[in-house]
Amino acid sequence: MPPRPRAALPCLTAAALLALALVPAPAAAEPTATWDAPLALTPPMGWNNWAHYMCDIDEAKVVANADALVSTGLAAKGYDTVTVDDCWMLKERDAEGNLVTDTVKFPHGMAWLGEYLHAKGLKFGIYEDAGSLTCERYPGSGSPEGGGPDHYARDARLFASWKVDYVKMDGCNLWVPPGKTKEQAYRDAYNSVARALRDSGRPMVLSASAPAYFQQGEWGGSDWHKVLDWVGETGQLWREGRDIKVYAPNAPATSRWSSVLGNYGYNRWLGRYAGPGNWNDPDFLIAGAPGLTDAESRSQVGLWAMMAAPFILSSDVSALTPGGLAALGNTRLIGLDQDPLGRQGAVVSSNATFEVLARPLANGDRAVAVLNRSGSPRDVSVPLADVGLPPACVADAEDLWTGRRTEVVDALTGRLGAHDTAVWRLTPRGCAEAVPTGQINGLGAKCADGASTSGVGSVVLGTCTAGADQRWTLGGGGRLKLAGECLTARAGGLVELADCAPGRQAGQSWSHRRDGTLVEETGGQCLTAPAAPATPDAPAERLRLTACGDHQVDQAWSLPV
Ligand code: GAL
């Protein structure tokens, strides 16, 4: 580790102090963090060119979008990190091994761009790749294919010299040496990247793309879960999956809504990894850009805010629709996303029409969102009890889109347009603390279900229905409760719903570990999902306890918050 920079404390005369006071503040808003101060205590916000311009990027476009962030007021609201994505460099390093900026695209170079952004009060982000080549086959920082020295330290020093504040490290073309698994190779590479950035002496946020190179479907495989478990030791945020659909200049009207839902889909189960300094990144905000209606734009902002996702626009900022701009610039939604508790919201209920999410907030408030997946307007009614408020609770409910406040006694109600999302901030009054309430999701993103079973009290994994038989509460003492009964370990590895015994009871106490396992505390075994039924009509098999494995997908569970 390099020595810490020592703060100089010169002895100043009154005249010198006066002279200092008269010197205009430096134009560049330098980050104030010391090099080992925590980074990204709330989800990063800003802009990146990729989903709109892809490789068709240059200085003028970056500057125009930076200027637009300022002139629209978005920068002052927190969208402050401007990141240049892939294709900014030449295809070869220079004789010393340094990356070379393409000066046809960026005539003033990257140090100039950093200065320009800093002078506007913005931060500077840049793209590189932890493999041998970027995804568009420009030089990466990693070892060449077949082995050899990497450039992590050299590139980190170069970025530091350009006063970069944020590095998006992609994971294309990463060489896997013989004898290592792909997962080990990524782990080593991203650890090296993190070390190189630290050793550069400049605080730079690291967006690590490693998990995205292991994603298989919405619930993922074992390696994906392994990578998600360690990636937060390397970076402050990470892409876990597919890209958001990029803008198609030749077909601008092409809908991008299913891409928003797809990325929401894989991100919603991963809240256990999120917290201050560590964020799941379901990719860019394309709200207000071609391909989304106003309602769909609101939904992306609302769902991303519920999930404490990075708020990184990727669009032509000066061409945002008025509705999209209003959603993105809504300070109540931004405040929700940036809530200092940093707890990612979780799914309360879901079916083909509605999705209900809840998120606990730093001041004791609780945010609730309802997405209307259907193509037509729908009436919504969400009982306060369903989102975890104890009986007899009254809540002040602020509609975060409008700021309108109402007193709610029994249920949140309203009418929701097609593909729209309502978001409320509830301030409970005169009642005990809210209780985490909602789905328990496992293998295949299915729901733990206590009713659709063949045996009394047994629990199976079924399609999510939003029904009461899937609405669990997390009780004190590690209890998992459904309809007043406790999930209980029985002999022979069975689990079932049974009366809750008082106190901390053997067989009824569960701990949820970071790897997603639900461990029954007495026997130390893990709740395990059954394999998918052989045929669609075969009766669902029950959940069981088995020995805990290493990031088994059938032992990972997502819990209410
Ligand atoms: C992808 C990444 C995109 C963009 C692109 C550049 O892997 O997910 O966001 O960075 O590479 O080539």
Side-chain angles (χ1 to χ4, degrees), residues 50 85-86 127 135-136 168 170 213 239 243 284:
W50 184 258
D85 210 285
D86 205 351
Y127 170 100
C135 300
E136 293 291 332
K168 171 175 169 179
D170 212 338
Y213 291 85
R239 290 278 312 283
D243 287 9
F284 304 125

Side-chain angles (χ1 to χ4, degrees), residues 226-246:
K226 277 187 202 167
V227 177
L228 285 165
D229 209 356
W230 57 249
V231 70
E233 295 162 15
T234 69
Q236 287 72 45
L237 67 161
W238 50 83
R239 290 278 312 283
E240 327 95 57
R242 278 187 308 270
D243 287 9
I244 204 88
K245 190 176 172 64
V246 297

